[in-house]
Amino acid sequence: MRVYGVTGWKNAGKTGLMERLVAEITGRGFTVSTVKHAHHSVDVDQPGTDSYRHRTAGASEVLLASGQRVAIMQELRGAAEPTLDELLARLLPVDLVLIEGFKREAHPKVEAFRAEANNPLIAPENSTIRAVASDTPLELDLPVFDLNDTPAIAEFILHEVGL
């Protein structure tokens, strides 16, 4: 499966870039899935729903199905967080999986960078970053794209993964 990441520090524009890339790449006829890493506790279920009641009763896995979507919630219950490879193995086949976060993993990435966030660039210390998408001009030994030039960033990623 072809994978490519978008990484950067908090408030760097990662999620907006991911959203635009998914729309751009699917608009070109490719299928795309995403993986998003959260550093905080997250719950996509709501108290009072049947699925929430199943989970809190002790179910290890709850599969919620409707005519519009399927959601699988898996409780770790003290087990280790799955690795990125384990998470990718759970996905249905698509042309490209875009990964938000996971900056220390080995897959190739574009770094989102906003000057106003006042964070250092990750790229100089991380060889998995192949380009930077920035809201300010930068002098780097990597391609630098305007953070809002989604078509150019998408073209770069598609070329990198051979699509």
Side-chain angles (χ1 to χ4, degrees):
M1 192 168 340
R2 293 173 171 102
V3 299
Y4 215 90
V6 172
T7 196
W9 299 112
K10 184 176 181 179
N11 298 319
K14 297 180 303 294
T15 301
L17 179 56
M18 285 281 291
E19 182 180 17
R20 294 189 310 273
L21 286 170
V22 169
E24 176 73 25
I25 295 170
T26 59
R28 295 181 186 199
F30 296 103
T31 55
V32 176
S33 289
T34 66
V35 175
K36 160 78 173 116
H37 190 260
H39 290 282
H40 49 83
S41 178
V42 65
D43 193 348
V44 297
D45 210 359
Q46 299 299 316
T49 62
D50 292 349
S51 55
Y52 184 90
R53 291 171 64 189
H54 295 184
R55 285 190 313 114
T56 58
S60 296
E61 188 168 70
V62 176
L63 191 147
L64 182 61
S66 75
Q68 290 76 39
R69 70 190 49 86
V70 173
I72 300 174
M73 292 167 279
Q74 299 169 328
E75 292 296 311
L76 295 179
R77 304 215 188 274
E81 180 179 342
T83 66
L84 179 57
D85 286 340
E86 290 169 336
L87 295 171
L88 291 171
R90 297 177 185 184
L91 295 176
L92 296 173
V94 291
D95 296 317
L96 176 65
V97 177
L98 290 174
I99 301 169
E100 182 177 341
F102 291 95
K103 67 176 68 76
R104 291 174 186 84
E105 297 292 329
H107 61 280
K109 303 167 195 68
V110 169
E111 178 179 356
F113 179 81
R114 279 197 183 129
E116 70 183 32
N118 204 28
N119 289 311
L121 276 166
I122 299 167
E125 307 300 321
N126 186 326
S127 63
T128 67
I129 295 174
R130 305 284 205 277
V132 175
S134 174
D135 67 350
T136 189
L138 298 171
E139 293 291 326
L140 296 171
D141 291 333
L142 299 170
V144 177
F145 297 96
D146 183 294
L147 183 58
N148 294 309
D149 191 353
T150 308
I153 300 166
E155 190 63 36
F156 176 81
I157 290 171
L158 292 172
H159 181 265
E160 284 266 296
V161 299
L163 290 174

